[in-house]
Amino acid sequence: MGLYSVCKSLLIFSVACCLVPVILIWYPFVSVARRIWLCLLRWQYPTLAFSPTNTVRSIADTTRNPGILHIVLQVQGEIWDAEGIKKKMFEHVLERRNKDATLAFPFMKRTLTHKWGHYAWADDASNFDIDSHIIFSQEGYRGRPVTDANVQLFLSEQSSKFLPLNLPPWQIILVPIYQPQRAHSSTSDNPTPTMDHYYILLRFHHLLLSDMPNIRICDLLLVESGKPATLAEKEDEDLQDLPFSNLIATPTSILELYSRITVAITNRWNEFIYRHDPLESPDGFKARVRELPQLLSLLLIAGVCVLSDFWRGYHAIREHPSEKLKFFMSLVRREVRRRNLSWDIVGDCVLDAVDPIAITRRTVRGFFWLVGQAIVIIPFAIIRECMAIRCCLFLGHCGYPNTIIGFLFEFIPLVFAAMLETIEALWLIVIGPKCLLECLTGHGGAHGIQAATICGRKVIAWSEIVERQQIKECAKRCGASESEITLTMLAAAIGDALEGYADTPVPEIVDVSARSVHQDCLLGRMSRNYGVDGVICIPLPLGGGGKDHVLAMREALLVARRKNIPLYTVTGIETRRTVMTNVFTWVWIKLLTNYLSKKFCITITDTVEDTKRRYRTLWGHAVSDMIYFRPPMANTSLSLTLQKFGSHIRVGVIADAELTPCHHDIARSWTNYMQQFSRRESWTK
């Protein structure tokens, strides 16, 4: 890093520090104003339940471009009867009750409306009709049965329709896939179609997850957590290739130093309690407290016990301060009773501290203790220190941990390593504002999709599956990783789509945003707050999908992972705690979101398989594939998903309908590029 870059980092960091007091002053004003406005809305519309969610997506949503998540499941077996699936939905979701007999998911039967910048749920559950939400599609597609050849067109057409505003914002479409049965004899001219798998399309508004924290996507899909993978399938779980996750290295030395310090303090504290606490001593209450050091030790132990119990039970007590004070005083009285403390004991200890006879006795006892230390303990300790020095010099380790040399030999390297990690963390904080500014300004050129007019209707497509083992073999032969290969072919497909979409020249680099989503968040019980990682911005190099393109992609990923640590951290905290939306007003957030989504109008999502599991529906059918479509936000018009499921990977595309047929072109081109790259690597083997 040159001198100019260092000066620029310090200047931007100084400006950011100057803005911190302004933000701290602005935060309470924005919070109070927002609460007052929400109270006014609740008073004006008493029949509506206003959403407490205050996220960037909820602020950026519009009526024509809401955040509707799309998930497609491929399920093995003949489709179950529609009435049975509706009954499962009622039992598992719609009529599920809490322990207090209230509905667990009350907003599943309510419509969503928008009042003065706030989402609100209408109290119209009495008009709920499940037949409008679980649709068993049997009419086919344009007069023909739905097959694997036209299922994408059929589901894309269904996705392009807006969810009705007068119904709760979720919908499940069941699509059976018919295959012509082969004739076993020449007499069967019209074989009966058979069905061995079917598709489930789930569409729902993102506020269903935000306003009902206990619901999961697997509840809406009626999928149960699968069985763990076998030992053969777990071999590569710890070697996952995560291009958009784990940007921040875990500070191992700091954690190790913290662990050792806490263990040492805990051991010393337990030893102190054993020696001075009557409840833990072997003699119990037989030894009466007569000296002032004994009394001070007991008071310290009792005080720590009171504070620790008060901290554990603080949130279980009602919010009123008087109730918390009563709880604290009850803990004090309990410790006084347990240790038989009284004012008489305090008086005796004070008198003993000023008694000349007691002072003389303690002086004589201390003198003989010092003599014993000088004659026996100190020489023995010196011998042990010398043996520890010899062990460190000639053996390279210290076998005397209870010595001063052993302590220094163990902790000095650890302290220095922790100091280096602390300095690195502080330097990341210093250069953070500059890196954040550089990431958001981007380096890519303008392209045709940025100028596209968004209509709000969404179309979907997906590629053919590619075996992950095949990609790993190709990556091993060319010295790359699985993610670098898949991203390179995706960049090549994006370049082809840009060439065919508009007459504008295709840039060499396109700015895209990317993030990771954990599969346990989609089909498991992981919370969305912890299943979605932070965002990074990547200057995606376009090319022809060759080895040179792979090398350029590797360099782009390395640079992006190094520079996007501040952005990744800020967006990760925002996903979990919604800090930014509580500091800035909606107008600022909406303007910033519109600008960034226009610049980074292409977004990529990588699904992370935490544990390989086999998933099944509640009626017992195995889930053979899943495709997650992350909804575009604000001016984002093209969202791509690198969907890993089991042993294969594919690309899912959701785009604004105005970009048709770009979504099909990208999915088709990615499959072609992957096949061509695999053949080239096989020939050069």
Side-chain angles (χ1 to χ4, degrees):
M1 183 177 290
L3 180 61
Y4 172 76
S5 180
V6 173
C7 295
K8 183 179 178 181
S9 301
L10 294 176
L11 178 61
I12 298 177
F13 177 73
S14 301
V15 175
C17 291
C18 294
L19 293 178
V20 170
V22 179
I23 294 175
L24 294 178
I25 296 174
W26 189 253
Y27 170 73
F29 171 76
V30 173
S31 301
V32 172
R34 185 167 293 154
R35 292 191 179 188
I36 292 175
W37 178 245
L38 195 58
C39 291
L40 290 175
L41 290 177
R42 288 171 178 166
W43 173 76
Q44 181 68 24
Y45 303 99
T47 59
L48 300 180
F50 282 90
S51 171
T53 301
N54 184 36
T55 61
V56 174
R57 181 173 288 277
S58 63
I59 295 174
D61 278 352
T62 61
T63 306
R64 302 292 296 178
N65 192 20
I68 305 298
L69 282 79
H70 295 66
I71 296 179
V72 174
L73 290 186
Q74 181 180 341
V75 186
Q76 295 296 322
E78 292 192 8
I79 195 168
W80 214 33
D81 63 296
E83 296 302 323
I85 295 177
K86 294 173 185 177
K87 183 179 179 181
K88 286 288 184 182
M89 176 60 75
F90 268 110
E91 295 175 353
H92 189 68
V93 179
L94 299 177
E95 295 297 334
R96 183 189 289 189
R97 301 280 173 171
N98 296 319
K99 293 182 179 180
D100 56 355
T102 58
L103 286 175
F105 312 127
F107 299 138
M108 290 293 295
K109 295 183 179 181
R110 296 189 180 186
T111 59
L112 187 63
T113 184
H114 209 260
K115 297 292 184 182
W116 296 94
H118 272 279
Y119 276 112
W121 299 93
D123 190 9
D124 51 0
S126 59
N127 300 325
F128 178 79
D129 183 11
I130 196 172
D131 293 331
S132 302
H133 297 274
I134 298 182
I135 302 172
F136 185 74
S137 178
Q138 292 180 313
E139 70 275 7
Y141 177 67
R142 297 184 178 179
R144 297 180 180 179
V146 179
T147 62
D148 287 322
N150 60 5
V151 65
Q152 289 196 38
L153 299 175
F154 175 75
L155 292 180
S156 182
E157 183 179 285
Q158 299 298 319
S159 300
S160 64
K161 301 175 183 178
F162 289 108
L163 290 176
L165 297 178
N166 59 341
L167 295 177
W170 63 275
Q171 186 182 70
I172 296 176
I173 301 177
L174 304 166
V175 185
I177 302 298
Y178 294 96
Q179 296 180 350
Q181 186 178 6
R182 293 183 178 180
H184 295 282
S185 64
S186 59
T187 58
S188 56
D189 297 330
N190 297 317
T192 305
T194 61
M195 180 176 61
D196 61 354
H197 66 278
Y198 56 95
Y199 285 86
I200 299 177
L201 171 62
L202 170 66
R203 300 197 296 160
F204 64 97
H205 200 281
H206 67 91
L207 281 182
L208 287 175
L209 297 179
S210 302
D211 290 351
M212 296 184 294
N214 294 327
I215 200 170
R216 299 292 183 265
I217 297 178
C218 62
D219 295 325
L220 300 175
L221 289 169
L222 300 177
V223 172
E224 59 185 355
S225 298
K227 297 180 180 179
T230 60
L231 294 177
E233 293 173 336
K234 288 183 178 181
E235 291 180 355
D236 296 333
E237 275 189 11
D238 297 332
L239 304 176
Q240 293 193 68
D241 185 16
L242 307 177
F244 311 142
S245 299
N246 301 333
L247 270 65
I248 305 175
T250 304
T252 56
S253 298
I254 294 178
L255 295 178
E256 179 68 18
L257 181 61
Y258 174 78
S259 175
R260 294 193 181 188
I261 291 175
T262 53
V263 168
I265 293 176
T266 302
N267 292 336
R268 295 296 183 270
W269 176 251
N270 291 335
E271 182 180 353
F272 180 79
I273 290 177
Y274 181 78
R275 288 182 177 180
H276 300 282
D277 190 359
L279 301 180
E280 299 292 339
S281 63
D283 296 334
F285 290 93
K286 294 181 180 179
R288 180 176 173 83
V289 179
R290 297 183 179 276
E291 298 182 355
L292 188 59
Q294 290 180 312
L295 177 63
L296 295 178
S297 301
L298 277 182
L299 293 177
L300 177 61
I301 295 172
V304 172
C305 292
V306 168
L307 292 178
S308 61
D309 292 344
F310 181 73
W311 177 258
R312 284 195 293 265
Y314 181 83
H315 296 286
I317 307 301
R318 288 185 296 180
E319 291 294 332
H320 199 278
S322 63
E323 297 294 332
K324 296 185 181 299
L325 181 60
K326 291 179 181 178
F327 176 64
F328 180 79
M329 296 307 298
S330 65
L331 294 176
V332 172
R333 288 191 292 269
R334 184 199 65 184
E335 294 298 324
V336 169
R337 288 194 302 269
R338 291 178 62 193
R339 290 172 171 80
N340 290 335
L341 295 175
S342 63
W343 290 110
D344 294 336
I345 294 177
V346 174
D348 293 342
C349 291
V350 172
L351 293 176
D352 181 77
V354 297
D355 186 10
I357 299 176
I359 293 175
T360 304
R361 183 174 61 250
R362 286 193 293 269
T363 303
V364 173
R365 187 171 57 192
F367 173 76
F368 282 104
W369 180 84
L370 289 176
V371 171
Q373 293 283 327
I375 296 175
V376 179
I377 303 299
I378 294 179
F380 180 72
I382 293 175
I383 294 174
R384 284 179 58 84
E385 296 292 339
C386 294
M387 296 176 66
I389 293 174
R390 175 183 174 277
C391 188
C392 294
L393 292 177
F394 295 101
L395 300 180
H397 67 86
C398 186
Y400 301 89
N402 294 328
T403 61
I404 298 176
I405 299 298
F407 174 82
L408 296 177
F409 185 83
E410 180 181 6
F411 276 88
I412 286 180
L414 192 60
V415 169
F416 273 101
M419 290 175 60
L420 289 178
E421 289 182 350
T422 304
I423 293 173
E424 291 178 0
L426 293 176
W427 180 243
L428 284 178
I429 295 175
V430 172
I431 66 174
K434 189 200 75 163
C435 293
L436 186 63
L437 185 62
E438 291 178 350
C439 292
L440 296 181
T441 53
H443 301 85
H447 51 85
I449 294 181
Q450 289 178 328
T453 303
I454 298 177
C455 68
R457 296 185 296 111
K458 301 296 184 294
V459 289
I460 62 174
W462 58 87
S463 68
E464 299 294 330
I465 64 172
V466 177
E467 294 297 326
R468 297 179 64 182
Q469 185 61 34
Q470 179 183 353
I471 301 176
K472 291 178 181 178
E473 292 176 357
C474 295
K476 185 177 181 180
R477 284 195 290 268
C478 67
S481 64
E482 178 185 351
S483 62
E484 291 169 358
I485 299 295
T486 54
L487 279 174
T488 301
M489 305 310 144
L490 185 58
I494 293 173
D496 291 350
L498 292 177
E499 288 181 359
Y501 176 73
D503 297 332
T504 56
V506 178
E508 296 181 356
I509 296 176
V510 172
D511 289 323
V512 300
S513 62
R515 79 187 317 168
S516 296
V517 176
H518 295 255
Q519 187 169 288
D520 279 352
C521 176
L522 302 176
L523 293 180
R525 305 305 301 178
M526 180 183 288
S527 172
R528 179 181 177 274
N529 291 339
Y530 298 95
V532 181
D533 293 337
V535 177
I536 68 173
C537 296
I538 306 175
L540 200 69
L542 304 183
K547 283 189 174 181
D548 295 338
H549 194 189
V550 174
L551 295 176
M553 181 61 67
R554 177 191 300 173
E555 183 65 24
L557 280 177
L558 290 176
V559 173
R561 288 179 63 87
R562 186 173 66 252
K563 289 189 175 182
N564 278 268
I565 293 178
L567 179 62
Y568 178 82
T569 305
V570 170
T571 52
I573 295 174
E574 175 63 24
T575 302
R576 292 166 175 78
R577 302 297 179 185
T578 63
V579 177
M580 188 175 68
T581 52
N582 290 326
V583 173
F584 302 104
T585 61
W586 291 342
V587 177
W588 295 355
I589 295 175
K590 205 169 186 67
L591 290 175
L592 181 62
T593 305
N594 288 337
Y595 164 74
L596 294 177
S597 60
K598 193 72 173 180
K599 185 170 185 58
F600 301 92
C601 63
I602 302 176
T603 180
I604 301 175
T605 304
D606 178 55
T607 56
V608 179
E609 282 190 298
D610 302 280
T611 55
K612 292 184 179 180
R613 294 178 177 271
R614 299 184 180 93
Y615 300 95
R616 305 183 71 87
T617 62
L618 293 182
W619 49 93
H621 290 177
V623 177
S624 59
D625 203 357
M626 178 197 70
I627 310 170
Y628 167 70
F629 301 94
R630 180 181 164 208
M633 178 177 64
N635 293 321
T636 305
S637 52
L638 182 61
S639 179
L640 313 172
T641 302
L642 292 171
Q643 180 64 60
K644 305 180 184 73
F645 192 88
S647 61
H648 64 262
I649 183 174
R650 70 166 82 223
V651 168
V653 186
I654 181 170
D656 194 83
E658 291 295 323
L659 299 184
T660 306
C662 275
H663 61 301
H664 284 297
D665 295 340
I666 293 175
R668 192 182 307 111
S669 297
W670 183 82
T671 305
N672 295 336
Y673 276 114
M674 290 298 302
Q675 293 173 352
Q676 293 173 10
F677 188 82
S678 177
R679 287 196 294 268
R680 285 198 303 267
E681 291 301 318
S682 299
W683 293 338
T684 57
K685 183 177 179 181

